[in-house]
Amino acid sequence: MHWNLKVRVIRLWIVPDKFKPEIPYSLEMILQDEKGDRIHASLGKTVIKHFREILYELGVFQMNYFVIAPNIMKFKTTTHKHKLNFTVTTNVKEIQDPSFHMDIFNIRTFDKLTIHHNVDETELLDVVGHVASYQPIQQIKQGDNNSYFINIVLEDDNKNRLSTTLWGELADQIQPHLTGSADEPLIVVCQLMKAHKFRENYSVRSCWYQTKIWINPNLPQPTEFKDRLISSCDYKYERLSQTSSQKHHSITDELSKGVVSFTYLSDLSQCYKESSFWIAAKIVCLELDSGWSYLACNNCITKVDTEGTKYYCKKCNSEVKSIIHRYRLQLSVMDGTAFISILLWNKETIQLLGKTAKELKEGLLEDEESSYPTELGDLMEKKFMFKILIKDSNINRKDNVYKVVNFTDDDTLLKEFCHPDFRTVLIYDEDKLFETPIKSSISECGTLITEDVIDLTTKISTKSSKTAGKSTRHEIKDDLNVKQPSNKIRKVIKKEKNT
C-alpha cells in the first residue's frame, strides 16, 4: 500500500536490546498529521542507521513507502488499527511548515479517569496538571533488582486530583523541580502513561521507555492549561515546597548556630580531623579526565565492568541485567585564597543541572567523541556555597578532591561569606603564582576530552543537540592536566581582552 504522509514526530524513543542493552533493538515513533490523526511507526535495528541523522522529535517530515502491519502492541500508543514499519526503501524528507500545529498531546481529563467511564488500561494516555503534593523517592525490590519511583499528585484547573507514579530516571528528572522555586505552579505533562485501577480509583504510571515528562513546556496545550489555572477565580497556589524551604533554613541555621562552620579554601590544609565545612567558591574548571558520568548497576548503584557485550558488577558478584547512567562530576573551584577540586555525585548534580545523566548523554552527537554537554560549560564562573566533607583521604593522603553533600546559590549567603579578595584570582602555572583581577580572566578554562562511555539507551540526536559541546567559551587542549596532586592548574587562562 502506497501512503504519502506529511507528519510531525510527536514522540521518539529507543528500545534497547534485552541481551545487549548498549545496542538499540528498535526505534519507535508516534506520527501525527495535520488533522490530529496518529499512527505508530517502528524501525528495526538494521534500519535505524539509515535514518538516525534525519529523524528527531517534533520535526515535520514527508514520508512514503512503508510496510503496513496490524497494531497488536500490548500497550497501544495510538488507537489506529495499523502501524508502520520502515524499510531501507522508505523515503523521509524534512520539511519546514510553520503552520503545522503543535498540539502534540492527546490529553485525558481527570474527570474521565474514574470508575464511571470506560478506561482501557492497555491504551497509553497523556495527562496535564500542576503538582499539588509529592512524596520522597522510594525504593522497591523487584526480583534481583532494586527499582525506585516517586509519587506525585497532579491537580487540574477544576480541583480534580490524580495520583501519578514515575519510575527510574523520570523520578530523577522531576525531583530537582519539586525542590526548586515555588513562585508559580509547576506544570507537568506526562506523555504516554498507563492507567491503573485500584479499588474504586484510577491512577497513572509511567510505562517503560514510552513515557516522557514535559516540565513547564512552552507548548500550546500546557500553556493554555496554565492560563486557565491562574485565571480561575478561586485559584490559590499551594504547591508543596517544603524541601526547598527547609533546605534554605537549615543552611542558615547550620552557619548561624555553628553546627557546620564556614572556612576559606586556604585553611582546609589545617584540618586534622574528619568533619564538614561550608565554603563559598566559584567554578573555574571542568575536570573531565575521568568523564562526567558512569554506567551503574541498577541494584547497588556501583560502577559496572564491561566484559565483551556484557556488564558485570563486582559488588553483586554477578552479571548485570539492568544498568543506568549516573553522574560523577569533578570541578575545580576557587575563592580568592586557593583552588581545590570538588566532587558531585548523582543526586547533587541532578539538583545542580536540573537534568539526569541520561538526558545529557542523549544530547551529544555520537560522532563527536571530544564533545561534552553545553550544560556543563554553562557552570563556568558561577558562584555557590558548597558543603564539603573532610575525609581521612583528605587529611592523611593529601587528597585535594572534596565530596559535596549540599549547595546553594543564595545571594544573601554568598555576599556574607565570600572572601574580601574574591575579586582576585590566584593563577597557578607550573611553579609560578600570579594574581589577576577577575574580569574575564578564567572564562575560558580547558578540559580534558570525556571518555566514550557506553550508553544504555543511545538515542537519535535532536536537531538542537547538533551544537552540543561546542561552547565558544572553552577550548579543549591536548596538553592540559587538571588532575594534579597539588593545587596546580596548568594552562587554563584566557587572556583578557583590551578594553
Side-chain angles (χ1 to χ4, degrees):
M1 185 182 299
H2 179 67
W3 286 4
N4 189 25
L5 305 179
K6 179 183 177 183
V7 293
R8 185 185 296 280
V9 178
I10 62 172
R11 181 75 181 101
L12 181 151
W13 70 95
I14 287 286
V15 177
D17 188 281
K18 181 177 180 181
F19 302 103
K20 298 179 180 179
E22 75 279 6
I23 299 176
Y25 178 77
S26 69
L27 183 149
E28 308 294 329
M29 294 185 297
I30 303 176
L31 309 177
Q32 179 174 280
D33 65 16
E34 291 178 288
K35 296 180 180 179
D37 294 330
R38 302 171 176 219
I39 192 167
H40 190 103
S42 297
L43 289 74
K45 64 170 65 177
T46 60
V47 179
I48 294 176
K49 62 183 178 182
H50 298 286
F51 301 95
R52 66 186 315 129
E53 298 299 330
I54 304 173
L55 295 168
Y56 64 95
E57 207 166 70
L58 299 186
V60 178
F61 302 90
Q62 189 169 358
M63 305 176 176
N64 53 33
Y65 296 110
F66 314 95
V67 174
I68 312 299
N71 183 6
I72 56 174
M73 293 184 296
K74 180 179 179 181
F75 293 106
K76 293 180 172 58
T77 58
T78 76
T79 58
H80 203 290
K81 65 179 181 180
H82 293 117
K83 66 186 291 284
L84 306 178
N85 291 327
F86 278 47
T87 71
V88 293
T89 60
T90 300
N91 290 327
V92 177
K93 179 183 179 182
E94 183 179 5
I95 58 178
Q96 302 297 326
D97 186 357
S99 65
F100 201 111
H101 69 84
M102 285 289 291
D103 291 338
I104 66 171
F105 303 115
N106 185 19
I107 301 294
R108 185 75 61 90
T109 58
F110 294 179
D111 60 346
K112 297 293 179 63
L113 290 170
T114 68
I115 58 173
H116 304 296
H117 293 82
N118 184 21
V119 179
D120 185 353
E121 296 185 25
T122 67
E123 180 186 339
L124 302 184
L125 50 88
D126 305 341
V127 294
V128 60
H130 80 92
V131 178
S133 63
Y134 64 94
Q135 298 175 357
I137 289 180
Q138 304 175 55
Q139 285 196 349
I140 185 173
K141 192 170 184 64
Q142 295 181 319
D144 295 330
N145 296 321
N146 286 328
S147 300
Y148 60 99
F149 64 92
I150 190 169
N151 287 322
I152 64 174
V153 175
L154 296 179
E155 185 176 84
D156 65 14
D157 52 328
N158 293 313
K159 300 290 185 181
N160 298 311
R161 293 194 169 194
L162 180 66
S163 178
T164 305
T165 302
L166 301 173
W167 288 87
E169 294 187 355
L170 295 176
D172 288 335
Q173 185 179 340
I174 198 170
Q175 186 185 35
H177 298 276
L178 298 172
T179 58
S181 173
D183 294 337
E184 58 180 23
L186 176 62
I187 307 299
V188 178
V189 181
C190 299
Q191 188 179 18
L192 301 180
M193 300 286 283
K194 290 189 299 185
H196 176 71
K197 183 180 179 181
F198 180 68
R199 295 179 180 171
E200 298 301 317
N201 297 307
Y202 274 100
S203 62
V204 292
R205 300 176 176 180
S206 57
C207 182
W208 297 98
Y209 307 102
Q210 295 94 316
T211 299
K212 178 174 182 176
I213 59 173
W214 301 72
I215 300 172
N216 290 327
N218 186 22
L219 293 169
Q221 291 160 290
T223 299
E224 291 170 6
F225 170 82
K226 183 177 179 180
D227 291 341
R228 292 197 309 270
L229 183 70
I230 294 177
S231 64
S232 175
C233 59
D234 60 346
Y235 170 72
K236 181 180 180 181
Y237 180 50
E238 297 177 344
R239 180 172 69 86
L240 297 183
S241 56
Q242 295 177 347
T243 305
S244 175
S245 175
Q246 290 174 356
K247 178 179 177 181
H248 172 76
H249 289 303
S250 66
I251 294 173
T252 304
D253 291 343
E254 284 184 356
L255 291 165
S256 63
K257 297 178 181 179
V259 177
V260 179
S261 300
F262 174 84
T263 190
Y264 297 121
L265 302 188
S266 58
D267 295 329
L268 290 175
S269 60
Q270 306 301 315
C271 298
Y272 299 112
K273 66 177 182 178
E274 295 187 14
S275 56
S276 60
F277 288 96
W278 280 98
I279 61 171
K282 173 187 282 191
I283 297 171
V284 294
C285 200
L286 308 174
E287 300 184 358
L288 304 181
D289 51 333
S290 296
W292 51 270
S293 68
Y294 67 99
L295 283 177
C297 170
N298 198 27
N299 184 46
C300 66
I301 316 301
T302 302
K303 183 177 180 180
V304 297
D305 295 325
T306 304
E307 297 181 356
T309 59
K310 298 180 179 180
Y311 300 101
Y312 184 80
C313 177
K314 293 180 179 179
K315 186 173 181 179
C316 297
N317 194 29
S318 64
E319 183 183 344
V320 177
K321 299 297 183 182
S322 178
I323 54 178
I324 57 173
H325 262 294
R326 294 179 66 84
Y327 284 113
R328 183 195 182 278
L329 180 60
Q330 190 165 312
L331 306 169
S332 179
V333 300
M334 57 77 62
D335 70 347
T337 69
F339 289 91
I340 65 167
S341 296
I342 59 174
L343 179 62
L344 289 85
W345 290 98
N346 195 63
K347 177 184 174 183
E348 289 73 28
T349 310
I350 289 175
Q351 293 174 344
L352 182 65
L353 299 176
K355 292 185 177 180
T356 65
K358 177 185 174 184
E359 289 179 287
L360 259 63
K361 189 69 177 178
E362 289 172 349
L364 293 176
L365 284 175
E366 296 174 1
D367 59 352
E368 294 187 6
E369 296 181 358
S370 64
S371 66
Y372 61 90
T374 55
E375 289 86 348
L376 298 185
D378 292 340
L379 294 175
M380 299 298 297
E381 298 190 357
K382 289 189 176 181
K383 299 176 185 178
F384 294 92
M385 295 277 293
F386 294 105
K387 183 179 180 181
I388 61 173
L389 296 182
I390 312 297
K391 300 170 23 176
D392 178 73
S393 59
N394 303 119
I395 300 169
N396 297 319
R397 297 197 293 272
K398 303 301 179 183
D399 184 0
N400 195 40
V401 181
Y402 298 85
K403 179 182 177 181
V404 172
V405 294
N406 202 353
F407 68 90
T408 181
D409 60 355
D410 184 271
D411 288 336
T412 302
L413 292 174
L414 284 168
K415 289 178 181 178
E416 180 179 353
F417 289 98
C418 278
H419 191 274
D421 297 331
F422 198 55
R423 299 297 297 176
T424 300
V425 182
L426 300 182
I427 301 175
Y428 292 89
D429 185 357
E430 302 281 328
D431 295 320
K432 298 179 181 180
L433 175 64
F434 304 93
E435 292 188 2
T436 182
I438 296 181
K439 222 173 188 179
S440 56
S441 56
I442 311 189
S443 60
E444 181 173 330
C445 183
T447 71
L448 291 178
I449 296 174
T450 58
E451 293 181 343
D452 184 15
V453 183
I454 299 174
D455 194 352
L456 171 64
T457 56
T458 304
K459 199 166 188 176
I460 299 298
S461 300
T462 62
K463 196 169 188 179
S464 62
S465 70
K466 293 182 180 179
T467 59
K470 296 183 179 179
S471 172
T472 59
R473 297 175 59 194
H474 313 301
E475 294 179 359
I476 299 174
K477 301 177 184 282
D478 292 335
D479 59 350
L480 289 176
N481 183 9
V482 295
K483 190 174 183 180
Q484 298 276 342
S486 62
N487 287 350
K488 293 185 179 180
I489 300 181
R490 305 169 60 185
K491 300 181 182 179
V492 297
I493 309 306
K494 178 179 179 182
K495 295 181 179 179
E496 288 190 26
K497 296 181 180 178
N498 295 327
T499 56

